[in-house]
Amino acid sequence: MNVIFTCGGTGGHINPALAVAKLLRERKPGSNILFVGADDGMETDLVPREGFAIETLTVSNFLRSLHPKDVMHNIRAVGAIRRAFHRADEILDSFRPDVVLGTGGYASFPILHQAAHRHIPTALHEANAVPGLATRMVCDKVDRILVSFAESRDQYKHADRVIAVGMPVQEEFVFTKREDARRELGLGDEPLIVSAWGSLGAREMNKKIVDFMRLELNEPWRHVHATGSFGWRWMPEYVREHGVDLARHPRITMQEYIYNMPTLMAAADVVISRAGASTLNEIAAAATPCIIVPSPNVTNNHQERNAAILEHRGAAIVLHERDCDGETLFQTTKALLADDDRRQAMRKAMRDVAVIDSADRIYRILLELAETRRA
C-alpha cells in the first residue's frame, strides 16, 4: 500500500499527518509512506525526525489585498502553483500512491488537486471549525472531507462526503501518564506551566509572556516557554533587556520549539496557548487544564470559534488578546493553580472533548479508499 501524506507550514498541519502515518507504519509495516510538503516549511525538519521520507514543492500563499505590491505577489504565486502542479505530477508518477491524504497548508493543494484529477482516491482533513483557503480550493474535488468538529459540517456543499473524525494526535498525548512524565522531567511537587503561541510564534504575545516571566520570578512553579521560530530570532535578547536573567532563574526555561510536548503536557498543571485545532486537541487528549488566547490574525476568526467549543464545555479558560496582558495571564494562571477543584473539572471536561481514536478512524478511511483504487 502506497500512501502520500501532504501538509505543511505549521505543526498544526504536520502533526496530525504524522499521527496517522505512524499508526499506518505500525499496523501495515509493508506500506510505503511518502510526505510531500513545502521546501521552506518546518515539515522538512519534523517529518525526517519521525523516520519518514519527504519530497518538497515550491509554493506561495495568496494575499487578500489589492495593493499593487500584493497583486504582484499573487501573480507570482499563480506561477509557483503551475510549477508545483508539474512537480506534483512527477511525484505521483514516481510513487504511484493508492491514496492521498492532505492535512492542510498551501503545500497540500497541488498534490491533492492533481491526484483527484487523476482519479486517485483522495481525502483531506480540516482541523478548524472554519475551513481554510487550501481546503476550500480543493474540497469539491476530493473523495472524503474529514473534519475535527461535527459543528462544522454545514460549512461544506457536499455534506455526503463529510465525516466527523476528530483531530488525530500522536498516541503519546493519550497514553503518557502524568507520574511517568514528571519523573522523566525530574519534577517534584512543584507545579509546571507550559506556554507556546504556535510553531511560528506570535510577537505581541511573546512580549506579554516576558511580562509574565517578570512577575513569576519568585514563584515556586516551573515554567517552560516555546518562542516559535520567528520569536527565537529576537526574544532571547528582548528578555534580557526587560530584566529577566534566565541564568539566575532556572525554574524558567525558554526554547525555540518543544519536541517532547506529549511529556510536557502530561506533566503540566496548566498549558497556555493559542487555539489552533491541533494544539487544542493535543491538550484535550492529555486532559491538561488550559488558558487559551485565540489569535485574532487568522482567516475567518477560526481560532475564536475553536476556543468557544472548549469554553462552552467547561474545558478551558479563554482570554481575548485585546484584553490580555502579562499581568492578566499571570493572575489567571495563579488563580487556576490555586483552584484544585476547577482544574479537576477541566481535566474531566477535556477527556469528554477528546476523540482519542481519531487517527484510527482516518486510518480505516484510508484503507477503504485504497481498496476502491485496487477495485
Side-chain angles (χ1 to χ4, degrees):
M1 181 172 169
N2 295 347
V3 183
I4 285 180
F5 294 88
T6 180
C7 55
T10 70
H13 296 141
I14 302 160
N15 290 329
L18 284 171
V20 180
K22 289 166 73 173
L23 188 63
L24 175 63
R25 181 172 60 186
E26 174 189 330
R27 294 187 180 176
K28 294 184 74 68
S31 298
N32 297 311
I33 297 171
L34 176 67
F35 276 74
V36 180
D39 52 16
D40 60 350
M42 64 185 301
E43 55 269 26
T44 59
D45 176 29
L46 296 183
V47 169
R49 281 177 177 268
E50 298 294 343
F52 295 108
I54 184 168
E55 297 280 356
T56 61
L57 311 168
T58 301
V59 293
S60 179
N61 65 332
F62 285 92
L63 301 177
R64 302 166 184 271
S65 167
L66 295 179
H67 187 280
K69 181 180 177 181
D70 295 338
V71 171
M72 289 304 300
H73 171 92
N74 289 342
I75 292 172
R76 289 191 294 271
V78 170
I81 284 181
R82 288 175 177 169
R83 291 188 293 273
F85 280 171
H86 178 71
R87 175 66 178 136
D89 284 331
E90 292 179 340
I91 293 170
L92 294 170
D93 286 338
S94 173
F95 190 74
R96 299 174 63 84
D98 296 297
V99 62
V100 175
L101 174 67
T103 56
Y106 292 106
S108 68
F109 172 65
I111 286 284
L112 282 172
H113 183 279
Q114 296 304 93
H117 181 71
R118 291 169 174 233
H119 304 291
I120 297 169
T122 51
L124 67 81
H125 182 272
E126 175 53 63
N128 293 298
V130 180
L133 179 59
T135 293
R136 295 200 305 274
M137 290 168 68
V138 79
C139 64
D140 289 342
K141 300 176 176 64
V142 299
D143 297 292
R144 298 288 186 275
I145 303 165
L146 314 178
V147 296
S148 292
F149 304 109
E151 291 92 332
S152 65
R153 189 186 298 272
D154 61 0
Q155 299 282 330
Y156 300 92
K157 181 170 64 176
H158 299 287
D160 58 313
R161 301 183 197 173
V162 180
I163 305 172
V165 296
M167 181 72 173
V169 300
Q170 298 183 60
E171 287 187 348
E172 292 85 350
F173 285 103
V174 179
F175 297 113
T176 301
K177 295 181 179 179
R178 176 175 169 82
E179 299 78 14
D180 295 340
R182 293 184 68 86
R183 188 181 309 111
E184 179 180 334
L185 295 171
L187 296 172
D189 295 331
E190 70 272 28
L192 172 65
I193 299 165
V194 176
S195 60
W197 305 119
S199 50
L200 302 179
R203 188 175 184 87
E204 291 307 311
M205 292 309 301
N206 270 331
K207 289 180 178 179
K208 293 175 183 181
I209 212 71
V210 174
D211 291 335
F212 180 102
M213 290 176 179
R214 292 171 60 189
L215 293 167
E216 71 176 338
L217 291 177
N218 296 317
E219 296 294 337
W221 61 62
R222 293 273 298 275
H223 180 193
V224 178
H225 177 67
T227 68
S229 57
F230 293 154
W232 192 247
R233 301 175 187 177
W234 58 270
M235 200 169 169
E237 182 178 355
Y238 184 89
V239 167
R240 290 191 295 270
E241 290 175 349
H242 286 75
V244 179
D245 184 352
L246 295 180
R248 295 180 55 193
H249 298 278
R251 289 195 184 94
I252 305 173
T253 303
M254 188 174 70
Q255 55 202 70
E256 179 179 356
Y257 188 82
I258 296 173
Y259 290 102
N260 63 335
M261 189 61 89
T263 302
L264 279 170
M265 278 198 188
D269 296 272
V270 175
V271 172
I272 305 171
S273 80
R274 287 301 204 189
S278 179
T279 297
L280 294 187
N281 280 273
E282 289 169 354
I283 297 171
T288 308
C290 62
I291 298 168
I292 303 298
V293 186
S295 172
N297 307 310
V298 293
T299 306
N300 296 323
N301 208 24
H302 67 252
Q303 286 208 3
E304 287 202 11
R305 294 185 65 171
N306 293 345
I309 292 172
L310 267 68
E311 184 179 38
H312 178 71
R313 301 185 190 184
I317 296 173
V318 176
L319 302 175
H320 295 287
E321 184 170 320
R322 62 183 177 271
D323 305 320
C324 179
D325 55 19
E327 174 77 22
T328 304
L329 278 174
F330 175 76
Q331 294 298 341
T332 304
T333 303
K334 191 168 184 177
L336 184 55
L337 284 173
D339 192 340
D340 289 340
D341 290 342
R342 185 170 191 185
R343 282 188 288 113
Q344 288 304 315
M346 291 173 75
R347 288 187 186 277
K348 182 180 184 304
M350 277 294 189
R351 293 188 185 97
D352 293 338
V353 168
V355 180
I356 61 174
D357 65 342
S358 178
D360 176 74
R361 295 183 187 188
I362 296 175
Y363 164 78
R364 293 179 184 278
I365 291 168
L366 294 184
L367 291 185
E368 175 189 319
L369 288 172
E371 285 300 320
T372 67
R373 173 71 164 175
R374 295 191 186 99

